[in-house]
Amino acid sequence: MRREEAFRGISKRLAVHYLENLGGELVAGEREDNAEAEVADEEWTATLSAEKVSVAGSMKLTEVSVSFEGEDEAVEELVEKFTQKAMRAGG
């Protein structure tokens, strides 16, 4: 299964940290926003990238795009847990 999601208001560094807390390990790339990164465990892989996007006028936020791949059940559980962590970051 492959699932793509975008998260605003968090840095890629923080997204990598969350994925590591959920059992993954940084296996490729860098934590910095200007480079892709890949975090994986035995059941899933998450590929991350980040870019600045306009939200209102000249206001910009970082948007982290994550492509989750792996076993269906593992990906669904990972996305749910990651989304909860990412939503708490902004508020």
Side-chain angles (χ1 to χ4, degrees):
M1 164 184 224
R2 181 181 181 141
R3 185 162 163 191
E4 306 225 1
E5 299 285 339
F7 302 89
R8 291 185 177 178
I10 66 169
S11 67
K12 190 167 73 71
R13 176 185 297 270
L14 187 57
V16 168
H17 177 73
Y18 289 160
L19 289 165
E20 289 173 327
N21 283 344
L22 293 169
E25 180 180 329
L26 183 64
V27 295
E30 300 178 17
R31 298 173 194 281
E32 303 307 316
D33 284 346
N34 60 350
E36 269 198 6
E38 187 174 294
V39 179
D41 83 348
E42 293 178 3
E43 298 181 333
W44 54 263
T45 301
T47 305
L48 301 91
S49 62
E51 66 179 322
K52 294 285 186 183
V53 294
S54 296
V55 291
S58 62
M59 190 168 128
K60 293 187 180 236
L61 285 177
T62 298
E63 181 175 272
V64 176
S65 298
V66 186
S67 176
F68 299 95
E69 292 186 61
E71 300 173 15
D72 290 359
E73 192 173 304
V75 169
E76 289 298 329
E77 182 179 341
L78 175 64
V79 171
E80 183 179 326
K81 289 180 179 178
F82 181 84
T83 300
Q84 289 174 355
K85 289 180 175 287
M87 290 180 76
R88 284 196 303 256

